[in-house]
Amino acid sequence: MSGGIGIMLGEFAPPPRAQEFTELIKARLKEAQSKGGTRESVTIDVNGQALYVEVITLPLSGLYYNPGTHRIRAQRSHKPELEKALEKDPWSAESQGYLQFLLQAEPANPDRRDVDFDKLKDSLKEFGQNDPGLVTHHGVLVNGNTRAAALRESGAQTMRVGVLPESFTWADINAVELALQLRKDHRRDYSYINRLLAMEEQASLGRTPDAIAKDFRIRPATYHQERWILGTIRELIERSRSGGGVALRLVDFEDDQEKLKELHRSYEKLAAVDRDQAEVLKEMRLAAILLGFSKTDVRHIDEEFLKKDYLGRELPEELKKTSGAGEPEAVSVPGLGVTVPGAAKAVAAARALNDQVLRAKASARKPENDPLGSQDGTAQALFDQAKGAFDKAIDSAGRDARVRKRKQLAPARLADACADIDQCLVDLVQARASRTLDEEAFDEAVLKLRESLRKLAQQAGRGLAHPGDGVSWLIDAAVVEVS
């Protein structure tokens, strides 16, 4: 399964000339021991126990990038054909070259070179290698893959590495790499999706949510949120598959961390009240995220957005036809001989619309593929139509939200002032009890309050033929004060 748990935890065959490199490592270790004196070592965590491994210098030409590294797992899907070649033969020149390419690329857009990689390269060139990497007895890099890539680009010939025990399995290797990554002093974090994949891997090993959350230094509730997000992403990728096999990739969601977290919070809150409406909200927000809208724009897709159907007013006929036709079909329950209603019509329509966006975005990466059969003949045109409709709907919702906020601003400020006065009452009682009240300052503050209430009464009474009880009291109080 491409990008799945199988490849993450797979046992890789030894690389070419593995035995020859093992002999070289043994010889170097023996040489280091024979020299006497203080030898360099590096500490690693193995199942909560500290293990010290010796550090030696090895030729870079003999080291292999780790095909199972957590560092670039999501990014491997950037080029599906090269990912397949990597799974078939991770030690080939083509596969190792692909890993080198991904190690120096931006996590969210591997087509661009990462400026942090160039900073690392410059640092290594100027100051040399401060911390050793970590390798297996076969010369596979467990820690230091990115440093090895930078050293190679700098023209270096060797690299200092600690050597893991020969008995280590691939499960041990994965655990060591993850433990090193989760150290508080680690300089470069995993990208967001790779962090989610690492959590998924730990769960597949049978570890409890509480234990995983503790390792990742997050609350259990956050762990469950992250698993929900990764599950949602995998579902979207599957739904994006078109007739031509084109699909979205894990790397396509690298920049959406905060938007997906906010979606989860809004979904859970609404689902406790109305599951169907929560599903519609989820589909609409996911579509907006896929269309590239900002976090502040996506927030406008809320219960009010759904209630007033801002999007329905803006959708072109082509998208309306694909997103809302027909009643939902009933679903048969196997073995029971009964049927239950399918998804609510609004949910089915939202999913259908989002499916169009998903497939359009996936297909637009390869313009020559147009499996959608849209009227204008291109996935990109359908994507642009959807984005234009969402843009207008979000803009309208945003304007209305600002109007509602202005309407609620004055009452909200008055409510805050009431809370302050209530707290003032508590403070006043305590100050009198302790004989610490500054009576002159308090009297002056009360006079300011009187003046503020007088001004408020003047404005509140303007243009109201029949003021409510609260405003009437305020006006009467001001009149008494004036008289």
Side-chain angles (χ1 to χ4, degrees):
M1 178 174 62
S2 177
I5 293 295
I7 184 63
M8 289 181 189
L9 301 176
E11 292 281 342
F12 298 102
R17 301 171 62 189
Q19 191 57 42
E20 179 183 335
F21 207 76
T22 298
E23 294 303 321
L24 172 63
I25 287 177
K26 288 180 178 178
R28 293 284 172 91
L29 287 171
K30 189 174 181 180
E31 287 175 10
Q33 293 167 2
S34 65
K35 289 180 180 179
T38 302
R39 300 195 300 270
E40 185 182 7
S41 65
V42 62
T43 307
I44 60 174
D45 182 277
V46 182
N47 298 322
Q49 300 294 320
L51 176 65
Y52 301 91
V53 297
E54 290 201 57
V55 174
I56 58 176
T57 299
L58 291 174
L60 272 167
S61 60
L63 299 179
Y64 287 91
Y65 298 120
N66 179 8
T69 179
H70 299 80
R71 173 72 57 204
I72 50 174
R73 281 191 177 164
Q75 286 67 37
R76 290 186 315 206
S77 62
H78 176 59
K79 294 183 181 295
E81 66 282 2
L82 291 179
E83 184 182 26
K84 289 180 182 178
L86 177 64
E87 293 174 11
K88 185 177 181 181
D89 183 3
W91 314 118
S92 69
E94 180 184 39
S95 295
Q96 288 288 303
Y98 184 43
L99 292 173
Q100 164 101 16
F101 165 75
L102 294 177
L103 287 165
Q104 55 82 40
E106 277 188 12
N109 185 359
D111 283 326
R112 292 203 299 251
R113 188 176 174 91
D114 192 350
V115 294
D116 288 337
F117 178 83
D118 286 324
K119 290 177 183 177
L120 172 64
K121 178 182 170 182
D122 293 340
S123 176
L124 288 168
K125 198 169 186 178
E126 183 175 358
F127 303 108
Q129 183 186 351
N130 292 328
D131 302 315
L134 202 61
V135 296
T136 69
H137 254 269
H138 291 152
V140 180
L141 286 155
V142 177
N143 187 40
N145 284 271
T146 310
R147 274 172 285 167
L151 285 168
R152 280 173 169 158
E153 281 204 5
S154 300
Q157 300 300 307
T158 60
M159 182 176 181
R160 286 172 32 253
V161 292
V163 182
L164 291 175
E166 196 168 359
S167 61
F168 266 38
T169 65
W170 275 101
D172 294 326
I173 291 167
N174 284 333
V176 166
E177 189 206 3
L178 186 60
L180 286 167
Q181 168 58 32
L182 295 177
R183 279 184 177 178
K184 289 184 178 180
D185 60 349
H186 206 282
R187 294 184 180 179
R188 189 183 180 195
D189 292 334
Y190 288 156
S191 68
Y192 178 57
I193 302 299
N194 287 323
R195 189 174 172 85
L196 299 186
L197 293 174
M199 291 183 197
E200 181 184 51
E201 176 187 301
Q202 292 297 297
S204 73
L205 295 173
R207 302 193 65 210
T208 65
D210 286 350
I212 298 172
K214 183 178 179 181
D215 282 350
F216 280 82
R217 300 181 179 89
I218 57 177
R219 295 180 298 108
T222 303
Y223 164 79
H224 289 295
Q225 180 188 61
E226 303 288 38
R227 294 304 309 278
W228 183 90
I229 288 173
L230 182 58
T232 298
I233 289 172
R234 289 199 184 283
E235 178 194 346
L236 292 175
I237 290 173
E238 191 58 36
R239 286 166 58 186
S240 73
R241 296 190 187 282
S242 59
V246 183
L248 293 175
R249 310 156 301 171
L250 287 168
V251 70
D252 292 324
F253 298 88
E254 279 286 11
D255 285 337
D256 298 325
Q257 175 178 354
E258 292 305 317
K259 287 180 270 189
L260 291 168
K261 284 178 176 288
E262 287 195 1
L263 165 62
H264 176 262
R265 289 192 290 269
S266 299
Y267 174 83
E268 289 292 304
K269 182 179 178 181
L270 187 54
V273 180
D274 187 333
R275 173 69 65 174
D276 283 347
Q277 192 174 35
E279 289 295 330
V280 175
L281 177 77
K282 175 183 172 184
E283 295 295 334
M284 291 295 98
R285 282 204 175 189
L286 286 172
I289 291 170
L290 291 161
L291 290 166
F293 286 95
S294 69
K295 181 171 63 175
T296 52
D297 284 338
V298 174
R299 284 175 186 161
H300 287 307
I301 301 177
D302 54 14
E303 294 174 70
E304 193 72 16
F305 183 93
L306 303 181
K307 180 181 177 181
K308 294 192 174 180
D309 195 22
Y310 287 100
L311 184 61
R313 308 174 198 168
E314 306 296 344
L315 276 178
E317 288 302 317
E318 300 93 304
L319 287 174
K320 284 183 179 180
K321 289 176 183 177
T322 59
S323 68
E327 292 290 337
E329 296 181 358
V331 178
S332 176
V333 180
L336 297 181
V338 297
T339 59
V340 296
K345 186 175 181 180
V347 177
R351 281 183 64 87
L353 175 61
N354 196 14
D355 283 344
Q356 293 296 305
V357 173
L358 282 163
R359 293 167 186 163
K361 180 163 184 173
S363 298
R365 290 195 292 111
K366 292 187 176 182
E368 67 274 12
N369 295 325
D370 183 32
L372 301 176
S374 52
Q375 289 183 2
D376 56 15
T378 66
Q380 185 63 53
L382 188 149
F383 185 88
D384 292 342
Q385 279 186 316
K387 185 163 187 176
F390 268 83
D391 190 31
K392 292 177 182 177
I394 288 172
D395 185 58
S396 296
R399 287 199 306 271
D400 287 354
R402 288 190 291 273
V403 170
R404 289 196 303 273
K405 187 175 181 180
R406 284 197 297 271
K407 289 179 178 179
Q408 297 165 0
L409 196 57
R413 288 193 184 280
L414 197 54
D416 289 342
C418 291
D420 287 339
I421 291 175
D422 290 341
Q423 182 60 46
C424 176
L425 175 62
V426 176
D427 295 338
L428 178 62
V429 172
Q430 292 176 346
R432 277 181 172 166
S434 61
R435 299 180 183 275
T436 57
L437 177 64
D438 186 337
E439 295 184 2
E440 290 185 6
F442 183 74
D443 189 67
E444 186 176 330
V446 172
L447 290 174
K448 288 182 179 179
L449 173 62
R450 181 182 67 178
E451 183 62 26
S452 295
L453 287 174
R454 185 182 297 160
K455 292 178 181 177
L456 181 61
Q458 290 173 350
Q459 293 300 324
R462 287 183 177 177
L464 293 179
H466 304 287
D469 291 344
V471 175
S472 295
W473 171 86
L474 179 62
I475 294 171
D476 291 344
V479 169
V480 170
E481 175 61 31
V482 171
S483 62

